[in-house]
Amino acid sequence: MPTDIVELARSISCTHPEALEWLHEAVRGMMPPVFCVEVGSWRGGSAIVLADAVRRAGGGQVLCVDNWSVTDGKDGPHPVPGSVRDDFMRNITAWPEIVWDESGSPDAAASVDRPVDMLWLDGKHTYDALWADLCAWVLKVRRESDGGGVIVGHDYGGEPGVGRAVREFFGGRVLAGPGDIWISTARF
C-alpha cells in the first residue's frame, strides 16, 4: 500500500495498519469493477484504503454505511459527535469512488441490487448488531459460482460479542487475520 495512504489512514482510523494493508491487497487483486461495502465508517480511514485499492484494481465503488448516531464504548452506548461525520465527509472529498448511505445497515443492504466483492464489517461491536449486519449483508456477497466475494470484519479478538457472533454465524469457518480482523472462509 502506498506510504501516503498508510499515513492518512493511520491518522484517522482505529484499524491496525496490518489489517488495512491486508484489505488493500485483497481488493487490489480483484477484477474491476470492484464493489466494496463498508459497514461502520467512522472518520473514513478504511474507506480511503478501500477506495485506493479499488482505483488501483481498475475501478469500482466503495459504499460506506454509517448513520453516525450511536457508538458502543466501554461505558455503554453514547451519541457520536457531529464532528465525526463532518470529518468523514472532509476526508473522502478526493475519493469519487466513495459513496455513503446513512439509512442504517439493514436498510442499506435492502437497497443494494448488485453483488458485493468485499464486505468489510466494522459497525457496532456487539453480538446483536454484528449478527444483524451479517443477516442483512451476507447474501449480497458475490457467490462462489460467480467468482466469489470476501467477508471480513474488525475487532475479532478485542470484543467478545464480535468473536462469538462470527464463530456462530459461520460455524467455525473463519480465520483470525492481521490486526484483529476476521476473515470468513465460508463459501456461498
Side-chain angles (χ1 to χ4, degrees), residues 74 125-127 130 155-167:
K74 299 284 185 229
H125 300 118
T126 66
Y127 176 91
L130 180 55
D155 291 315
Y156 186 57
E159 299 288 339
V162 169
R164 185 174 139 231
V166 168
R167 286 186 301 277

Side-chain angles (χ1 to χ4, degrees), residues 26-174:
V27 171
R28 201 177 79 191
M30 293 179 172
M31 294 294 295
V34 180
F35 182 48
C36 298
V37 172
E38 173 184 58
V39 177
S41 299
W42 199 240
R43 288 189 162 96
S46 52
I48 290 169
V49 167
L50 292 170
D52 184 73
V54 162
R55 188 177 286 176
R56 290 170 190 277
Q61 188 175 66
V62 178
L63 170 62
C64 295
V65 178
D66 202 321
N67 60 17
W68 293 278
S69 63
V70 176
T71 189
D72 288 317
K74 299 284 185 229
D75 55 349
H78 57 276
V80 173
S83 61
V84 174
R85 182 189 178 281
D86 296 343
D87 288 349
F88 171 84
M89 296 301 176
R90 189 172 33 262
N91 291 334
I92 68 164
T93 56
W95 300 96
E97 296 86 354
I98 298 175
V99 296
W100 63 95
D101 185 322
E102 296 182 50
S103 66
S105 183
D107 291 336
S111 71
V112 168
D113 61 358
R114 59 182 167 161
V116 175
D117 297 299
M118 166 72 75
L119 175 59
W120 168 239
L121 296 172
D122 193 17
K124 289 178 70 179
H125 300 118
T126 66
Y127 176 91
D128 291 338
L130 180 55
W131 191 270
D133 287 342
L134 288 165
C135 289
W137 286 100
V138 79
L139 294 179
K140 300 288 185 171
V141 176
R142 185 177 300 281
R143 300 284 171 259
E144 186 170 29
S145 61
D146 192 27
V150 180
I151 306 170
V152 185
H154 192 228
D155 291 315
Y156 186 57
E159 299 288 339
V162 169
R164 185 174 139 231
V166 168
R167 286 186 301 277
E168 288 178 13
F169 193 91
F170 293 111
R173 295 171 297 173
V174 65

